[in-house]
Structure formats: C-alpha cells, structure tokens
C-alpha cells in the first residue's frame, strides 16, 4: 500500500549549528517534481538536496554534498515511509561544524522522514478510466454521486441528449459503479471501461 501527501509539508531542525528545512509535496509527474524543486530551492543556502519518486521513476541529487550522503538518504526516507508521487527538498545552511558522511546521511534522511511523517497522507488507489453517456435529466444527480464515490470526471463533452463523461475511478469499483449508475438512471447509463 502506497501513500502520497494530501498537501505540502515542512519540517525544520538544527543539527550541530547547521539549519535544515525539509519541504515535501505531492507530485503527478517528473515535470511537477522539478517545478517544485526549482520553485522552492534557496540559492542563498549551502545546499539544496532533493529526491522524488513517481511510480517507477525516481531521481535524487546531492547538490555538492559528498556522494550518497543527501539525495539517496532522502529517497530512502520516501520509500521507508511507503510514499509515492512525492518530492522532498532538504535545504541546508552550513553552520561551521562538519557532520561527517554518516552525520550528513542521518541529517538529510531524518529530516525528510520527519517531514513526511508530519504531513497529511492519503492512500494511493490504482485507478482505471471508463466512459459513459448521461442524459441531461440525470446529469446533476450523477455528478453529485460521482463526487461521493471519489470518481473524477476527466472530460465532459456535450451533445443534443446529454454529456459524454470520461471518468477515473478506483480499479476495484468498476462493476459496483456500473450497477449503481444503471440503477440511478433506470438503465439509461452504461459504463464502459477503456483499455
């Protein structure tokens, strides 16, 4: 079971006079991860180290710290918290005391883990796409129910009789939702899975 963050989170810590600020956010793509990192990095800081994971894709960066002491521990914290679709940026302002490679790895990984632990998490549910056509007379009621069932309307195209909806729904709910939609509209709505 994987989780992502419901909203951005942050965590601050001082370790042997160095200040650490960990920022984490939910992401949907590699481009979103890079945008988050670029938008929140502090060029005045000593180091802006980061990692992100989105499905099978992941990246990390030590930003001048000794190899393997920052980015990889941040990625390990993401995986250790069972997170996916998350980016974590840990900013360090050097305080004049060397932490050593083990100390750096603990500081970066620990700050990232505490940031993720402090954030509001939501379970990532595998989703599938389906389509259906909804008559105008049923549209408002169907939209209200779709929201209750945590179904996202990705696209809506109108024609003379109603709206063609492209939906994203939890994978295990396809049959139940198809029955509920058919019952709701007295058999007028047929849910068809895509792919």
């Amino acid at each position: 079971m994987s989780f992502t963050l419901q909203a951005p989170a942050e965590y601050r810590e001082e370790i042997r006079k160095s200040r650490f600020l960990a920022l984490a956010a939910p992401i949907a793509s590699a481009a979103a991860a890079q945008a988050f990192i670029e938008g929140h990095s502090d060029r005045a800081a000593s180091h802006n180290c980061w990692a992100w994971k989105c499905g099978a894709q992941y990246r990390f960066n030590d930003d001048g710290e000794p190899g393997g002491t920052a980015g990889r521990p941040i990625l390990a914290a993401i995986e250790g918290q069972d997170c996916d679709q998350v980016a974590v940026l840990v900013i360090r302002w050097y305080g004049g005391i060397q932490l050593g490679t083990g100390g750096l790895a603990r500081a970066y990984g620990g700050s990232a883990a505490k940031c993720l632990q402090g954030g509001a998490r939501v379970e990532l549910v595998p989703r599938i796409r389906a389509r259906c056509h909804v008559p105008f007379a049923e549209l408002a009621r169907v939209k209200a129910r779709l929201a209750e069932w945590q179904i996202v309307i990705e696209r809506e195209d109108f024609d003379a009789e109603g709206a063609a909806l492209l939906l994203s729904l939890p994978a295990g709910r396809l049959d139940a939702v198809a029955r509920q939609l058919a019952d709701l509209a007295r058999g007028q709505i047929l849910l068809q899975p895509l792919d």
Side-chain angles (χ1 to χ4, degrees), residues 13-21 46 91-99 107:
E13 185 172 17
E14 186 172 311
I15 301 171
R16 298 182 68 196
K17 299 196 189 257
S18 283
R19 289 183 302 130
F20 290 85
L21 169 62
S46 308
I91 303 168
R92 177 187 183 200
W93 291 270
Y94 181 63
I97 298 175
Q98 299 281 340
L99 299 180

Side-chain angles (χ1 to χ4, degrees), residues 5 24 46 90 94 116 132 135 162 171:
L5 292 175
S46 308
V90 181
Y94 181 63
L116 292 169
C132 64

Side-chain angles (χ1 to χ4, degrees), residues 3-77:
F3 298 88
T4 191
L5 292 175
Q6 190 169 8
E10 74 174 57
Y11 174 79
R12 296 173 188 272
E13 185 172 17
E14 186 172 311
I15 301 171
R16 298 182 68 196
K17 299 196 189 257
S18 283
R19 289 183 302 130
F20 290 85
L21 169 62
L23 302 168
I27 57 162
S29 65
Q34 287 306 126
F36 169 76
I37 292 161
E38 289 169 13
H40 290 83
S41 291
D42 183 344
R43 298 296 161 222
S46 308
H47 303 280
N48 291 280
C49 304
W50 52 263
W52 59 262
K53 183 175 188 315
C54 190
Q57 291 185 304
Y58 64 90
R59 296 282 181 279
F60 56 87
N61 186 307
D62 293 322
D63 191 35
E65 293 284 25
T69 62
R72 190 170 292 279
I74 296 169
L75 180 61

Side-chain angles (χ1 to χ4, degrees), residues 130-185:
R131 67 174 177 233
C132 64
H133 189 275
V134 181
F136 281 121
E138 307 294 337
L139 194 55
R141 195 167 51 173
V142 166
K143 282 185 173 183
R145 288 294 173 91
L146 292 176
E148 288 173 17
W149 299 334
Q150 298 169 343
I151 297 172
V152 177
I153 299 173
E154 290 186 5
R155 189 167 158 188
E156 192 173 13
D157 295 314
F158 293 96
D159 59 25
E161 287 93 41
L165 304 179
L166 177 60
L167 307 173
S168 171
L169 61 144
R173 298 263 342 225
L174 181 66
D175 293 338
V177 170
R179 277 192 308 277
Q180 290 169 321
L181 285 174
D183 291 347
L184 187 64

